Amino acid sequence: MESISQLLHFFPLIIVTIGSLVVMMVDAFSKDTAKLYYLSVFFLIAALAASISDVFGPAGEAFYGMAVYGGTSAMGGVIVLLGTLFVVLLCKEYLTAIKHHVGEVYSLILFCTVGMLVLVTANDLVTLFLGVETMSIALYVLAGLIKRDKAGAEAALKYFLLGAFATGFFLYGIALLYGAAGSTQLTAIAEVTDGGLIYWGGLAMLLVGIFFKISAVPFHMWTPDVYQGAPTLITAYMATASKAAVIVALIILLGRAFPDIHSDWAEVFQVIAVLTMILGNVIALVQDNMKRMLAYSSIAHVGYIMVGLVAGTAAGYSGVMYYLFAYTIMNVGAFGVVAYYERQKGLDFTNMENYGGLGYKQPMFGVAMSIFMFSLAGIPPFAGFIGKYQVFAAAVYEGYIGLVLVGVITSVIGVYYYIRVLVYLYMREPESDTVFQQPGMVYKTAILVLAIMTIYFGIQPGALSEIFTQGFEQLQIMAATGR
Amino acid sequence: MIALDWYLALSAILFTIGVIGVLTRKNAIVIFMCAELMLNAVNLSLVSFSAHLGDVHGQILVFFSLCVAAAEAAVGLAIIIAIFRNNLSVDITRINLLRW
């Protein structure tokens, strides 16, 4: 009976699961794809409302310790669902324009979201594994959505082969940790702090699998290719929701299974954070393709996020949560604007060279793009700045000054390629006199809302970051008492 | 009774063969087979740990991992077919549209 009442804490997950099945069945019996779009939006809004109410609800463990709810998990759910909702809202118009408005997209996105929601509640290595795989398998299909497009199929193949490779490491890590701890539960693993080769090998393999999913250097090779080849809004989905889900799972994993060996893993994380920040930012400098540039920028952002993880305190983790929130809204927005430019006829509008004068053609999108770019670059008063400030401040407080110095220098380098987009948008002559199609009402509104959120949470970060801090403290209290 | 170490050693050797295969082979299907070999090597570890610890959870995890491997195979082979239709080849050295 207890497990049935515990189901009440997993409403968002249940709603999205039912939603994905309903959408799949309706798709099988109906020709009207627009109906699926409205259904998905309805289910996602319901799930988002449920998960926002969970943030203010109790926190604890459920299902014999397989899952956690409330606190960090609920906030992770909010970030994932917010990203998914905006991607789905933008999807309809974009997919119709590229003539791939098929019903499967919606059920696949919802299946993928189910995986992400399992991931953010994982309190057991089995749940973690299932969440990662449910998410990844749906994403492999989504990446190859346009199967006649050579680049799309190639992106899907690369993602799939490297993903399967990483899954091997991930599962081997789980097996070895299970052998060392005698259990797959995170709290049971926390009791072991040195189990010799099996323990350390398992931890290393598990982290390799996770680093691959969040595309930290040197496991980032797939990211630019996949992000460039996949349909733009699917890329937005991969870059935001899936990364946010895995990083929230990583926070729960590190906070609950490895809190006592923080000084050991923090050293590894430092090295990887430095490599990720430098490589992501430097290679992004020379990219001309917008999607590829945003892919390298997303690698760089993972580096900044890892600085917050290195700190390993409540402030660091809540900074990471804030960063993920800000990153999700601004990146979905940036990809949304790119997707709008991309579907115009005439020129290849994923190439930055062709962005000349576009800022004046559609003033609203130009301004929105500027806001997203400034925010991604981490310039105040936008949300991206607050996120970056919080993770860096947490790391400085813990004495990782060298690391933060690298972070600050690389983000200064990063400003160049974000501002470069704006130079093209406003200071170059147009390459052609293409007449731009008007965007639909929903598309415009969604981009506008994202832009306003980027500004609002940059000016008013207080309430939100307080909620994030409290959420992590709840998680820690749970870890300390073992319940 | 064979000691746990032998099972783990066999599993590690199979896993390594899988890794080397993924890194050196050129045919997408063979690469995928090597990745599956890695998963099966891990299953062997899980089962032997499970028997050694007298705990059933490891064996249950093997079922999950088999399911995941099957789902991955379904999606993966479909992607490889799509690649073959586009390129008339599954040689990964010839699939090089996206770089840098």
Side-chain angles (χ1 to χ4, degrees), chain A residues 42-257:
Chain A
F42 167 75
F43 280 113
L44 283 171
I45 289 175
L48 184 61
S51 91
I52 288 173
S53 82
D54 278 356
V55 170
F56 302 101
E61 281 185 6
F63 308 131
Y64 307 99
M66 293 292 275
V68 282
Y69 57 85
T72 306
S73 298
M75 289 158 213
V78 172
I79 296 172
V80 164
L81 287 166
L82 200 69
T84 314
L85 176 66
F86 277 101
V87 167
V88 169
L89 282 174
L90 298 173
C91 242
K92 180 168 171 254
E93 213 181 306
Y94 171 73
L95 290 174
T96 314
I98 61 167
K99 301 197 172 57
H100 269 83
H101 193 226
V102 286
E104 288 88 344
V105 178
Y106 297 112
S107 44
L108 279 169
I109 288 182
L110 290 178
F111 281 135
C112 197
T113 313
V114 172
M116 292 171 191
L117 290 175
V118 170
L119 206 45
V120 297
T121 56
N123 189 39
D124 190 296
L125 294 178
V126 181
T127 332
L128 188 70
F129 175 66
L130 287 180
V132 166
E133 288 308 307
T134 313
M135 179 186 89
S136 304
I137 290 175
L139 279 181
Y140 300 150
V141 185
L142 283 170
L145 183 66
I146 312 175
K147 60 181 179 195
R148 301 213 188 290
D149 177 28
K150 277 194 175 183
E154 186 178 328
L157 182 74
K158 282 183 175 164
Y159 194 16
F160 166 71
L161 286 179
L162 289 170
F165 189 50
T167 301
F169 284 96
F170 192 68
L171 195 61
Y172 205 16
I174 291 176
L176 293 179
L177 282 176
Y178 168 67
S183 165
T184 47
Q185 287 210 0
L186 298 192
T187 37
I189 292 169
E191 284 160 19
V192 187
T193 47
D194 191 6
L197 182 64
I198 291 181
Y199 179 76
W200 293 112
L203 175 59
M205 295 269 198
L206 187 71
L207 288 180
V208 166
I210 290 179
F211 286 156
F212 172 84
K213 295 290 172 200
I214 62 175
S215 65
V217 175
F219 311 102
H220 68 289
M221 307 314 191
W222 58 278
T223 316
D225 290 355
V226 174
Y227 283 18
Q228 188 186 349
T232 309
L233 283 171
I234 301 300
T235 308
Y237 185 53
M238 282 195 275
T240 56
S242 86
K243 258 184 204 175
V246 179
I247 289 169
V248 172
L250 183 59
I251 290 177
I252 295 174
L253 182 73
L254 294 175
R256 287 178 73 79

Side-chain angles (χ1 to χ4, degrees), chain A residues 21 26 75 89-90 115 121 138 143 160 166 169 179 195 215-216 254-255 276 282 314 325 332 370 391 414 433 462:
Chain A
L21 295 172
V26 173
M75 289 158 213
L89 282 174
L90 298 173
T121 56
F160 166 71
F169 284 96
S215 65
L254 294 175
T276 311
V282 169
F325 178 78
V332 171
S370 319
V391 289
D433 47 1

